Every structure is written in C-alpha cells, then in structure tokens.
Amino acid sequence: MLAVVVDHAAPNHLALRDVAPPSPAPSEALVRAAAFSLNRGEIQRAMNAKAESRPGWDIAGTVEKAAADGSGPAVGTRVVGLAAIRAWAELVAVPTDALATLPVDVSFTQAATLPVAGLTALHAVERATGLIGRKVLVTGASGGVGLFACQLAHLAGARVAGLVRDAKHAAMVEGAGAERAIISIDGTAAKDFGPYRLIVESVGSGVLENVVGMLAPDGVCVSFGATAGADIPYNLWSLIGTGGASLYGLGIFNALKRESAAIGLERLVYLVATQRLRPHVAVEASWTEVGQVAQQLLDRRMAGKAVLRIDSHDQ
C-alpha cells in the first residue's frame, strides 16, 4: 500500500512510498482512509524525524476490517479517528476507542479536520466553567484550533474575542462566532475587551506573557501551543494577584488518557451534522501534494485547516 513517509531527499521531506500494510491489534479496526488533515505540530516533528518515519494523526474513511475483539464499528462503516502515528496512509490501524461513526451528511473532508484540532478546542473550552455571558479570548484565532474554539465558546454562551495578526482574517473569525476580532501582534490590544473567564492560547512568547494578566478572578488560561516561541520572561504577580486565576498546559494526547477520543469525536460530529459547528477548510488537495501543502501550513499561508484526499478511495 502507499503511505506518506519522511524522505529528507524529497521536497519538504515528505513523499509517497510503498510500505507494508498494518497488522491491527485486537482492539483496533483497519480503516481505508479517504482523507486526512495536517497539523503544524506533526509536520514540524516530521521535518526532524528519522528517514522512513510515518507521520499522521487525523483520519477519515471506511472500516475495512472490524476489530477482532468485537469492539467498535462494523465493516463498511464511515468513521473519523485519531491515530498516534501513521495515519497518512491508504490503510490505518486505529484503536476503536479513538473512532466515531460518521452520518452521511458529514463528509470525509469535514470529518478529517476534527481529531486533533477539534478535540484540542473542545478540551480547551471545557477547562472553564460558567461561560454563559462571560468573555473568552482565543489567540491564534484564524488557525484550525482557534476557529473551532471560537465556535465552541460561542455555543457555550460566551462573548468571544478572537486575536489575529492580520486584518484579512477578521471577517472569518467573526463568522466563527467571535463578537470581536482583535488585530494585534503582541496581544496587548485584547485588554480593552477583557477581563476573560477563559483564554485559549496557542502563540506563546510575548502574547502569552501579555494576555495572562487579562484573566478575570478564577479565570483560566489554557496554553496548548507556542507558535511564536516557548520561552517567556514573566512576572508571576500578574497571575497571583488575580484571585484564583490559573495557567493550564493542555497536551491533547495526555487529555485523551482521561476521556477517550471517541467520546469527543462523537460530540463534534453531532455538532457538524446539525450545522452548529463548521470546519474551515482552507486547502483541499490530493495527497500527492503533501509536501507542498505542508510547507504552506508551516509558512502560515493559510487560515483554517488543510485536508488531503486519498485518491484511491471512492469519495
């Protein structure tokens, strides 16, 4: 079968190669992939990975072989899933507790955006309680996680502000449920709309340093990324002086040890099917273009998600 592998001689270090098909564990279903999405974190890892490594987390497709232990969906079921590795392939072994069934009105392209970005946004928003009528700040709001977080916080009843670097993304962020799109490189302009019950933060560096001080009492800043850098000079008194405020580090694979991916994916799929959650797909292309699209994502030349189709699958 074909799969995306790390090849440092190939353009952007990614190429399609023939590999051996997977041998699923008893609790894994074998899924024939139709589409997958790219996440900046996995691409960055792939750039520095060993040759022949197999990247990939998000997958949508059809069950080709059900799990031997009887768990999970039957053969022929349309599914979305999250694999720890090796999801960018024609056939993928996926744990059944990381699979959710797709209704016919949710496309493979839509579904492929949900596993990492959707679950990260869901877990981030749900770190805060009592969001109805309270303010939420989403940094990096035009990214895949950011656009989902804006929508989910809005669905939870919050007043959402979306922080973006470029004014051209303001309308998209407001369309995703933000009451206000804030244009700022360092985040300081977000202070006027605060204080915030929840800050969903992915930029790091000076932005994290600046926005943590905008928390309301008992507010939480959920940090899940650092696209601008992980090192910050920080005066803790801006956090300590805000009664009960906290900074929480979210790693999605650790969070899924407490609640399986299948549970969150089922919820997200329901929201997409009922048109309450809308995936923003900036690029949809053939997986033969994986290297080029990966570079576009790394270069921040797109807002929202990039989804690649497996050409051998009947769409």
Side-chain angles (χ1 to χ4, degrees):
M1 71 168 192
L2 288 176
V4 176
V5 304
V6 173
D7 180 350
H8 295 297
N12 303 306
H13 305 274
L14 297 170
L16 289 179
R17 296 285 185 266
D18 280 309
V19 301
S23 299
S27 60
E28 293 179 331
L30 189 63
V31 177
R32 181 163 293 278
F36 59 84
S37 71
L38 283 70
N39 301 282
R40 185 174 283 108
E42 64 193 336
I43 296 171
Q44 290 172 331
R45 291 186 185 189
M47 295 296 152
N48 299 306
K50 294 180 180 179
E52 304 303 318
S53 296
R54 300 263 310 278
W57 295 331
D58 300 343
I59 178 178
T62 305
V63 175
E64 182 143 312
K65 182 179 180 181
D69 66 0
S71 64
V75 171
T77 304
R78 300 171 73 251
V79 293
V80 59
L82 177 64
I85 54 173
R86 302 184 173 185
W88 299 351
E90 291 181 303
L91 291 170
V92 184
V94 186
T96 55
D97 65 358
L99 284 172
T101 299
L102 292 179
V104 294
D105 48 0
V106 176
S107 70
F108 288 131
T109 296
Q110 291 174 310
T113 68
L114 298 176
V116 169
L119 288 172
T120 299
L122 180 65
H123 281 263
V125 170
E126 293 198 325
R127 287 304 303 178
T129 58
L131 289 181
I132 295 175
R134 289 190 167 124
K135 294 178 180 178
V136 170
L137 175 66
V138 179
T139 70
S142 63
V145 177
L147 288 165
F148 279 133
C150 286
Q151 293 179 78
L152 293 171
H154 177 71
L155 286 172
R159 300 178 61 192
V160 182
L163 183 70
V164 294
R165 293 168 56 92
D166 196 321
K168 69 182 180 182
H169 296 142
M172 176 185 294
V173 169
E174 290 172 349
E179 180 177 327
R180 183 178 302 181
I182 299 172
I183 318 302
S184 176
I185 293 176
D186 64 4
T188 53
K191 185 174 182 179
D192 291 342
F193 192 71
Y196 299 99
R197 178 72 168 183
L198 169 68
I199 299 174
V200 180
E201 213 293 300
S202 62
V203 180
S205 191
V207 172
L208 175 58
E209 179 186 4
N210 290 328
V211 301
V212 167
M214 302 175 193
L215 285 169
D218 297 319
V220 59
C221 176
V222 178
S223 174
F224 68 90
T227 58
D231 296 326
I232 64 169
Y234 183 63
N235 185 338
L236 280 172
W237 290 114
S238 66
L239 183 66
I240 296 170
T242 305
S246 61
L247 175 62
Y248 180 84
L250 173 64
I252 189 58
F253 287 99
N254 285 326
L256 295 175
K257 294 176 183 177
R258 297 185 291 274
E259 178 182 275
S260 74
I263 295 173
L265 286 172
E266 182 178 0
R267 297 168 65 193
L268 293 169
V269 167
Y270 168 76
L271 292 174
V272 174
T274 55
Q275 300 183 18
R276 284 179 254 188
L277 184 67
R278 182 167 60 91
H280 291 257
V281 178
V283 173
E284 183 178 1
S286 166
W287 72 327
T288 60
E289 300 177 44
V290 61
Q292 300 94 307
V293 176
Q295 192 61 53
Q296 290 180 48
L297 188 59
L298 288 178
D299 293 343
R300 305 172 191 264
R301 282 184 274 155
M302 66 179 73
K305 294 290 292 177
V307 176
L308 299 184
R309 302 181 307 273
I310 309 292
D311 299 322
S312 59
H313 194 288
D314 182 5
Q315 299 287 319

